Amino acid sequence: MSLPSRHALVPFVSVDNMMRLVLHIGIEQMMADLAAEIEADFRRWPLFDKTPRVASHSDVGVIELMPTSDGETYGFKYVNGHPSNMKKGLQTVTAFGLLADVATGYPLMLSEMTILTALRTAATSAMAAKWLAPKGATTMAMIGNGAQAEFQALAFKAICGITELRLYDIDPAATTKCARNLADRGLHLVPCNSPEAAIEGAQIITTCTADKQLATILTDNMVGAGVHINAVGGDCPGKTELHRDILLRSGIFVEYPPQTRIEGEIQQLPDDHPVTELWQVITGAAQGRTDGRQITLFDSVGFAIEDFSALRYVHSRLKNNDFHQDLDMIADPDDPRDLFGMILRAGAESAV
Ligand code: NAD
């Protein structure tokens, strides 16, 4: 059946096409590009619509919607977090997202975002570390070697100049997988048998574990002066990774305080505990690291503006190539008031 002029076709980036796009651009280059896009959007932070994400919690996980708009373009992401999925052979985090034109409300692009979330999370972490980590940091401990881990490692290599990666996971098979995937990527890899061994000599500690509980991946005595902690895995009420005493010794940097106070490591602290917004460090409105002995902590939970930046970046890369398919997802009759007639005409056509 032909489909005469009643469709506004929407570009759709499938998982296959996202992988092709990532391979075409190069994974480290793409995360460096994303970090630049996210940083540019953090510089114009005040003009975005902002809201903590809309979360629907269950005993086993969470499903969330993450919307934002810069007044010209609107974006949202659907994302889940189910730590128990791994045991069923499923991803802990999956996502897709949409960009729309604020002037018409018409969608501009629909995209897979499971891969894009891993890329943007790692790009945001490395961007934050660029501003907060001790100068000249070359060694990172990577605790939690699951789906996000390689992305984190390569973003820190590309953006912060990390050369040595010390890996630890409670499941040695995860560390083996991570080391295998990162072989020949120009990183010196050191698989470790304990978190204590992993953090030895590391100027940056990334925690990226998944467990729906108040976990203690790092205890206070493990964290020495001057390190930067990139805490990625604590991103949900009742799901944290760091002992509270570490927080009390750290300069804490966050994305959007109203969301991080609900979801981040700082859910363990009183609501008035001082935190610094990362965008203000980037614009110069607030100070980043104060001295070489300060512990800096990026309490990452993932914010809608990072997804917006990532979606816009992907959208800008869809011209004159085949990294997308056109989706027939918006009914758009020639006469905008004749939606009903459009169905009748389709029926008449199919009867011929
Ligand atoms: P994953 O399930 O693929 O990997 C998690 C790994 O953590 C597993 O290999 C598991 O064995 C390990 N682990 C669990 N408990 C541990 C412990 N006590 N010590 C060491 N390792 C431990 O999950 P993923 O997709 O890699 O995501 C990791 C975490 O990051 C999740 O909690 C997820 O919700 C979070 N996340 C945060 C953001 C953000 O923006 N902040 C974005 C994406 C994912």
Side-chain angles (χ1 to χ4, degrees):
M1 187 175 77
S2 68
L3 301 168
S5 67
R6 52 180 180 251
H7 309 272
L9 296 174
V10 179
F12 167 58
V13 183
S14 65
V15 175
D16 256 353
N17 276 327
M18 184 62 77
M19 293 194 290
R20 289 175 62 231
L21 181 65
V22 172
L23 292 171
H24 172 74
I25 295 170
I27 193 156
E28 289 181 39
Q29 182 62 52
M30 185 157 168
M31 288 193 288
D33 291 350
L34 287 173
E37 294 286 332
I38 293 166
E39 189 171 299
D41 281 339
F42 272 41
R43 286 184 192 281
R44 54 191 198 116
W45 187 270
L47 67 79
F48 281 91
D49 267 356
K50 291 175 283 296
T51 177
R53 57 187 150 196
V54 182
S56 173
H57 293 279
S58 67
D59 291 345
V60 289
V62 62
I63 294 176
E64 297 164 325
L65 294 177
M66 303 172 69
T68 191
S69 167
D70 68 356
E72 283 181 19
T73 309
Y74 170 91
F76 80 85
K77 178 168 86 173
Y78 166 104
V79 62
N80 76 306
H82 284 66
S84 57
N85 268 4
M86 204 199 1
K87 294 190 193 82
K88 302 177 200 155
L90 302 173
Q91 288 283 299
T92 297
V93 176
T94 70
F96 65 87
L98 182 124
L99 272 187
D101 175 24
V102 168
T104 60
Y106 272 34
L108 296 169
M109 182 185 76
L110 179 70
S111 178
E112 90 76 41
M113 287 194 81
T114 306
I115 295 167
L116 195 56
T117 292
L119 293 163
R120 76 80 156 122
T121 302
T124 304
S125 283
M127 178 198 76
K130 191 186 80 176
W131 288 92
L132 300 173
K135 290 280 162 267
T138 53
T139 301
M140 178 162 93
M142 183 77 230
I143 300 179
N145 302 156
Q148 310 295 319
E150 296 90 338
F151 297 90
Q152 290 280 332
L154 293 178
F156 276 79
K157 173 181 173 245
I159 295 160
C160 305
I162 287 300
T163 55
E164 177 170 326
L165 191 71
R166 303 178 67 81
L167 297 165
Y168 172 72
D169 194 291
I170 36 167
D171 180 358
T175 303
T176 304
K177 176 259 344 177
C178 191
R180 186 178 60 238
N181 285 340
L182 291 175
D184 306 323
R185 286 277 181 176
L187 283 167
H188 177 54
L189 302 173
V190 186
C192 300
N193 292 324
S194 67
E196 287 82 0
I199 64 174
E200 241 178 68
Q203 299 94 9
I204 299 176
I205 302 173
T206 290
T207 54
C208 195
T209 66
D211 207 346
K212 197 162 169 48
Q213 61 163 336
L214 300 171
T216 308
I217 307 303
L218 295 180
T219 52
D220 190 33
N221 60 342
M222 290 166 71
V223 178
V227 300
H228 174 69
I229 304 172
N230 169 42
V232 180
D235 59 355
C236 209
K239 177 164 167 270
T240 57
E241 294 181 302
L242 307 182
H243 193 283
R244 184 175 183 275
D245 290 349
I246 299 173
L247 310 183
L248 299 175
R249 289 165 60 213
S250 303
I252 302 174
F253 299 83
V254 303
E255 292 143 313
Y256 181 55
Q259 181 177 309
T260 312
R261 295 219 186 259
I262 299 168
E263 302 178 349
E265 296 299 325
I266 59 170
Q267 65 186 274
Q268 303 180 67
L269 300 179
D271 275 352
D272 58 355
H273 187 91
V275 297
T276 305
E277 296 185 50
L278 188 56
W279 73 272
Q280 293 193 316
V281 176
I282 292 167
T283 60
Q287 194 175 3
R289 167 173 288 276
T290 50
D291 61 72
R293 291 191 58 76
Q294 188 190 26
I295 298 166
T296 50
L297 165 63
F298 175 44
D299 188 0
S300 158
V301 292
F303 188 57
I305 293 175
E306 296 146 27
D307 299 309
F308 176 94
S309 314
L311 283 169
R312 274 213 329 183
Y313 172 79
V314 170
H315 187 241
S316 75
R317 292 306 184 108
L318 297 188
K319 294 180 187 84
N320 306 321
N321 56 42
D322 65 349
F323 293 125
H324 68 278
Q325 301 146 251
D326 285 330
L327 271 197
D328 173 27
M329 66 179 265
I330 298 298
D332 188 28
D334 284 345
D335 175 354
R337 285 175 300 193
D338 198 14
L339 187 63
F340 189 85
M342 186 175 81
I343 301 172
L344 295 184
R345 285 192 294 281
E349 279 165 29
S350 62
V352 174

